[in-house]
């Protein structure tokens, strides 16, 4: 399906979600999709490990621009619909708590990667304000360059006025040619932002359009609803999506969403004590410091790429991450990928890093609240079943597609 068609369908899903949730004024929701072609494999694990190495090794170009690494479209990414401009122009973006900038392709972009994606037309928006500051972002096999602009940005029913974002005019490399999303919306802290740009959610908080300076993610990587990846909720948390209460932990560095763990174990084997970790929705894997990863690999007899012979995952122990005195358990079937008689660890390592990165292997198991105001994170086990509200939404969405509602946009 072409990127523009996917974008239109996502817009329809957003409208339906608003209709389903008219009774809730405190929480603002946006449905989050996941790449329909994704299949976690050893090849993808290795590819993403290399991407993460680049993402968390900040570099600078010859022109002095910060380098922020961007992932390949095959990684396990979650994305949803936003609008930019007046009248609104719609885009699919990856919501990434591991970065802090928003960028989308510009209408002046002639690169192949821009041809099948939504592009922004500043001339067609009455709220567009030119900025012109140049920026450059480098990623794995290429780069994006462009300039900064300002406009209204909306998602989950809220509008951030005068939001500065990047208009990409050149995309070099193949990473985004077949991507299911158009751009990136970073949800890290302001100190992480390239060019000192205020992040979109922080602007919403500053402008008083969100009731509480909190957002939360409910992420799913399986289930009966095709491509339903969960929800991004602005303004708080939805207790119906998790079990028990949230376990809170303070952010120890307000750039990435970094917190401190108590212990990390494989079964009863202690792997680390009081290590720092980052909650990153733009990452699929769990990434460990080299020394800790080496210990884990030795437990499984894994080679340098984390592979080992296996027959069944039932005999392998849980990965246990203790946060603020509470154990968060991840079964082996989530952190080990089996392909016939070869298994691959979805726990990897990168050089020069002394903290853990908790991607989807962790975040897909635990509802996560990102409390900007109190600079803390809250975790709780996700509900195993899709709620009646969510199921109704996606049944309506599927019915609308079957009836050909999308043809209205042709």
């Amino acid at each position: 399906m072409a990127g523009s068609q996917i974008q239109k369908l996502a817009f329809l899903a957003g409208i339906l979600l608003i209709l389903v949730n008219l009774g809730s004024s405190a929480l603002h929701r946006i449905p989050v999709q996941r790449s329909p072609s994704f299949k976690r494999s050893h090849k993808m694990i290795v590819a993403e490990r290399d991407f993460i190495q680049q993402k968390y090794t900040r570099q600078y170009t010859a022109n002095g621009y910060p380098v922020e690494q961007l992932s390949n479209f095959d990684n396990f990414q979650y994305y949803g619909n936003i609008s930019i401009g007046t009248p609104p122009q719609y885009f699919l973006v990856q919501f990434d708590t591991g970065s802090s900038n928003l960028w989308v392709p510009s209408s002046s972009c002639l690169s192949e990667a821009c041809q099948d994606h939504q592009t922004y037309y500043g001339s067609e928006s009455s709220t567009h304000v030119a900025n012109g500051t140049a920026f450059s972002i480098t990623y794995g096999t290429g780069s994006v360059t462009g300039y900064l602009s300002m406009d209204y940005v909306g998602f989950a029913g809220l509008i951030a006025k005068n939001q500065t974002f990047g208009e990409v005019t050149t995309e070099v490399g193949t990473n985004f040619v077949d991507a299911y999303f158009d751009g990136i919306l970073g949800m890290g802290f302001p100190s992480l932002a390239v060019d000192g740009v205020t992040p979109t959610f922080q602007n919403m908080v500053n402008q008083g359009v969100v009731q509480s300076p909190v957002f939360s993610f409910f992420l799913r990587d399986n289930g009966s609803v095709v491509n339903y990846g969960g929800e991004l909720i602005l303004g708080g948390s939805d207790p119906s999506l998790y079990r028990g209460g949230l376990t809170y932990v303070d952010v120890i560095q307000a750039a990435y969403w970094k917190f401190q763990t108590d212990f990390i174990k494989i079964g009863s084997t202690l792997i680390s004590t009081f290590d720092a970790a980052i909650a990153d929705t733009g990452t699929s894997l769990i990434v460990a410091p080299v020394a800790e990863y080496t210990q884990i690999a030795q437990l499984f007899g894994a080679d340098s790429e984390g592979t080992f012979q296996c027959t069944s995952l039932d005999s392998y122990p849980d990965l246990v991450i203790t946060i603020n005195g509470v154990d968060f358990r991840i079964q082996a079937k989530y952190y080990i990928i089996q392909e016939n008689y070869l298994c691959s660890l979805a726990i990897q390592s990168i050089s020069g890093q002394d903290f853990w990165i908790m991607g989807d292997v962790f975040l897909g198991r635990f509802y996560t609240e990102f409390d900007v105001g109190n600079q803390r994170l809250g975790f709780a086990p996700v509900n195993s079943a899709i709620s009646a509200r969510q199921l109704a939404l996606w049944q309506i969405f599927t019915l609308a597609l079957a009836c050909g509602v999308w043809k209205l946009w042709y």
Side-chain angles (χ1 to χ4, degrees), residues 96-133:
D96 180 18
T97 59
S99 66
S100 296
N101 287 83
L102 166 63
W103 68 262
V104 296
S106 171
S107 60
S108 60
C109 179
L110 300 178
S111 301
E112 180 184 0
C114 296
Q115 300 307 303
D116 197 34
H117 291 89
Q118 297 298 116
T119 57
Y120 170 76
Y121 290 81
S123 61
E124 297 183 3
S125 172
S126 63
T127 46
H128 166 83
V129 177
N131 180 303
T133 301

Side-chain angles (χ1 to χ4, degrees), residues 279-292:
D280 184 356
T281 59
T283 299
S284 168
L285 308 175
I286 288 179
V287 180
V290 173
E292 284 83 347

